[in-house]
Amino acid sequence: DTGVSQNPRHKITKRGQNVTFRCDPISEHNRLYWYRQTLGQGPEFLTYFQNEAQLEKSRLLSDRFSAERPKGSFSTLEIQRTEQGDSAMYLCASSFPDMRESPLHFGNGTRLIVT
Amino acid sequence: KQEVTQIPAALSVPEGENLVLNCSFTDSAIYNLQWFRQDPGKGLTSLLLIQSSQREQTSGRLNASLDKSSGRSTLYIAASQPGDSATYLCAVGPYNQGGKLIFGQGTELSVKP
């Protein structure tokens, strides 16, 4: 168990550019979640997958955001035409599907700064 | 709509003190409540998970309680140490919301040597 891995750790981009983040979950976990966290706040849910199926998307996930998990393993989160308001820490988490007993395991996040 | 509140937002204590962090939630229809620790610039580390049918969970110097009827949870830290300094977040898992968690804003704890 190597934990949840996220790349890159930091990304600085100019407004209007596209960015893509990657998350590699714990291999036995078939649920994968994306959260966003701004300074001084708790994480906010964005979307989640069970295997390759994207089961829910938050209203926070505008049309500029897209997430994929093509083979039910790693996932990518793409932001198109970035805006300064997209600056945040993007966190990925994974778990087993039993919601009652399975804690979420988080990666160290990708810190995005849009200038 | 489920809302989670943590009080206080920040807490500073001397080393060795026992302390309690509070978490309240508005809707008791949850399947579990989880406490996490977050160090600056890092992700979240799971500390304790309490299922909705349970009243408390313990791990080492940590004890978390859950009172669903009143919408409250507490995290008790015994004999605090400087290494306990971090932000502590609670999160609830609402029924019928697919396994996602709703987080509070966190309590930033500083333990002074």
Side-chain angles (χ1 to χ4, degrees):
Chain A
D1 177 0
T2 57
V4 178
S5 177
Q6 291 189 248
N7 288 288
R9 288 296 317 279
H10 305 276
K11 179 71 176 178
I12 301 175
T13 191
K14 293 184 178 180
R15 185 165 54 95
Q17 298 294 303
N18 299 342
V19 294
T20 300
F21 311 140
R22 176 178 170 126
C23 172
D24 288 89
I26 293 171
S27 57
E28 299 85 8
H29 290 174
N30 45 16
R31 285 208 168 186
L32 185 149
Y33 301 81
W34 285 99
Y35 284 80
R36 181 173 71 186
Q37 185 178 28
T38 53
L39 206 59
Q41 301 297 314
E44 297 175 292
F45 170 79
L46 293 178
T47 187
Y48 90 96
F49 295 82
Q50 178 147 322
N51 300 314
E52 66 274 11
Q54 187 174 18
L55 297 186
E56 186 176 348
K57 293 194 294 186
S58 162
R59 291 177 200 150
L60 293 175
L61 219 62
S62 75
D63 291 345
R64 297 183 298 105
F65 288 72
S66 63
E68 295 183 344
R69 195 182 182 197
K71 297 183 179 179
S73 57
F74 73 91
S75 175
T76 58
L77 178 67
E78 180 183 16
I79 309 174
Q80 296 181 329
R81 305 181 303 282
T82 52
E83 302 173 356
Q84 288 186 324
D86 297 331
S87 295
M89 174 81 90
Y90 289 83
L91 294 163
C92 176
S94 67
S95 75
F96 291 110
D98 186 339
M99 301 179 296
R100 294 165 302 157
E101 298 182 353
S102 180
L104 291 194
H105 294 259
F106 281 84
N108 280 325
T110 295
R111 168 78 64 189
L112 174 66
I113 298 173
V114 182
T115 62
Chain B
K1 178 188 171 188
Q2 178 73 266
E3 293 183 359
V4 181
T5 304
Q6 291 186 246
I7 295 173
L11 181 64
S12 182
V13 300
E15 181 177 4
E17 206 166 277
N18 302 326
L19 59 102
V20 174
L21 306 181
N22 296 294
C23 172
S24 61
F25 48 95
T26 54
D27 187 345
S28 62
I30 63 172
Y31 56 85
N32 70 30
L33 183 144
Q34 299 183 37
W35 282 94
F36 294 87
R37 168 188 173 135
Q38 186 173 32
D39 293 290
K42 297 291 181 72
L44 283 68
T45 300
S46 178
L47 297 174
L48 290 165
L49 180 152
I50 311 176
Q51 295 181 42
S52 61
S53 58
Q54 298 173 328
R55 298 281 295 183
E56 66 177 342
Q57 284 289 332
T58 298
S59 176
R61 295 183 294 108
L62 305 180
N63 176 275
S65 68
L66 173 63
D67 183 344
K68 270 196 347 176
S69 60
S70 66
R72 294 180 188 276
S73 176
T74 60
L75 178 66
Y76 174 82
I77 302 177
S80 58
Q81 303 170 359
D84 294 330
S85 299
T87 296
Y88 291 81
L89 294 139
C90 77
V92 299
Y95 277 111
N96 302 323
Q97 293 207 31
K100 69 172 183 259
L101 297 179
I102 309 297
F103 283 84
Q105 303 97 317
T107 293
E108 186 177 358
L109 173 65
S110 175
V111 181
K112 305 292 187 185

